[in-house]
Structures are given as structure tokens and as C-alpha cells.
Amino acid sequence: ASGYDTEYLSLHHRCAKCQDTGYIGVERCSCYKQKQISLYYKNSELQEAVRNNNFSTFRLDFYDIHRVGDERYSPRKNMENILERIQGDYLPNFRRHSDNLMFYGDPGTGKTFLSHCIAKVLLDRGNLVVYRTSENLMKDLRDIRFNGNKQTEDLLTKCDLLIIDDLGAELNSDYNITELFN
């Protein structure tokens, strides 16, 4: 009589599988996992970067096939070896090992791009990946130390993977070096 739909007072769930609890029995529902991945993307600060920087857009033809100087491998062969290690062992076994990776080289050789590629795969699998430049990491560490920012501390210490880009570029003081190693 008042114009309301007959189903107005009925409970409507966004997810019919779990009725919005996030769990089916003791297992996490796919809706929970999807929300978690969205939140992890937001916290990683990589949402925009990985749209274009991912393995589907990675191109080996950017790398020269000729060796430079007395280098053991050509830039392309070196990148092929790196990709084989990452895609063949590191990513498939990410949860089972605690290996660290360190990419170093001249500017423009694909270090940041490659770290974005790794981050996208892990974020899509539901891992919390946090990306910081060394400068931003130092700011976060100062904020933790002097302002007691527990939320940032938890984000940095409890993430599954912390990517630190341009490490060494901002390590120009004893304080920064000490905080990084702490």
C-alpha cells in the first residue's frame, strides 16, 4: 500500500555462496579472497603500476643479444636466466621458501619493471605485497620510530613481500642505514 517492494524487508546477500560471512564451513569463500586481493592491491601502492608492468607485457627483445665488455652473458641471456629463476622456482614456491631477490644494474635495465611483474603475480594470488622506494621507506621508518605509527609498522613487517626500489639511493646518513638494518 505504501509502494514498497514485497521483498523490501527480506535479507539480500551479495554472495549467495557464503551469505556474506566470507566462509563456507571453515574455508574462505571466493568473495572473501577477492576482497582481500583488492585490499592488498590498495595497500601495496602498485595498483596503477601493475596494470602495464606485468609478465604479459614483458618483452625480451628490449635486451641486446651481444655481450658487453667482459660480461659472462649478453643482457638478453642474463634476463632469460633471471626470468627462468623467477617463473620456474621463485614464484611457484613463494610460500615455501624465504629467499630474497636483489636486482642491480644500470638505470633503465628493467629492475623496477621486473619487481612490478613479480608483485602482480603474488597480489593476484592473494599475497600482501608492499612496494616502497627507499626514500619512502625511510620516511615510513622515521614515522614508526618517532610517531609510533603501529599501522605502518604492521604493514611493513607482516607483508608477504616487501619490495624496496632504488635501495642505496637514499642511504646517505648513518640514521638511514641503521634504521634499514634494524
Side-chain angles (χ1 to χ4, degrees):
S2 297
Y4 291 102
D5 187 315
T6 55
E7 293 293 312
Y8 177 73
L9 295 176
S10 298
L11 190 57
H12 298 282
H13 299 288
R14 290 184 188 141
C15 180
K17 291 186 274 184
C18 70
Q19 281 76 46
D20 298 337
T21 64
Y23 288 87
I24 301 171
V26 295
E27 295 292 317
R28 287 185 180 163
C29 182
S30 59
C31 72
Y32 181 97
K33 292 175 185 173
Q34 204 50 48
K35 287 285 187 193
Q36 185 178 30
I37 288 170
S38 297
L39 180 63
Y40 284 175
Y41 262 102
K42 181 180 174 224
N43 285 334
S44 73
E45 298 185 6
L46 287 169
Q47 200 158 11
E48 292 301 316
V50 298
R51 233 178 232 133
N52 296 315
N53 298 353
N54 55 67
F55 284 120
S56 66
T57 62
F58 193 93
R59 294 183 46 196
L60 280 170
D61 59 330
F62 285 139
Y63 297 93
D64 194 353
I65 59 172
H66 300 95
R67 288 188 357 205
V68 179
D70 60 349
E71 293 291 326
R72 186 177 192 184
Y73 301 110
S74 71
R76 183 170 304 169
K77 181 63 178 166
N78 188 47
M79 187 53 74
E80 287 171 353
N81 292 340
I82 292 169
L83 286 173
E84 182 180 321
R85 165 85 165 90
I86 289 169
Q87 293 176 321
D89 181 47
Y90 184 78
L91 290 172
N93 300 307
F94 179 75
R95 285 290 194 186
R96 290 192 295 268
H97 61 69
S98 59
D99 292 351
N100 294 305
L101 298 176
M102 183 169 135
F103 303 132
Y104 61 93
D106 294 332
T109 55
K111 300 176 298 294
T112 299
F113 190 98
L114 191 55
S115 66
H116 289 167
C117 294
I118 293 167
K120 176 161 179 35
V121 169
L122 294 176
L123 284 164
D124 288 347
R125 289 184 188 165
N127 293 283
L128 176 54
V129 177
V130 175
Y131 173 88
R132 293 290 190 271
T133 62
S134 60
E135 180 180 4
N136 288 338
L137 180 63
M138 290 304 127
K139 287 177 185 174
D140 285 345
L141 293 176
R142 272 189 227 99
D143 190 34
I144 292 166
R145 168 79 68 201
F146 298 118
N147 299 323
N149 188 332
K150 187 74 172 145
Q151 185 177 3
T152 300
E153 182 178 14
D154 285 347
L155 182 66
L156 295 175
T157 59
K158 293 181 180 174
C159 64
D160 297 310
L161 178 65
L162 175 62
I163 297 173
I164 307 170
D165 201 2
D166 292 332
L167 184 60
E170 295 299 321
L171 298 180
N172 54 6
S173 73
D174 289 340
Y175 173 80
N176 285 352
I177 294 168
T178 301
E179 281 303 301
L180 178 67
F181 285 105
N182 283 339

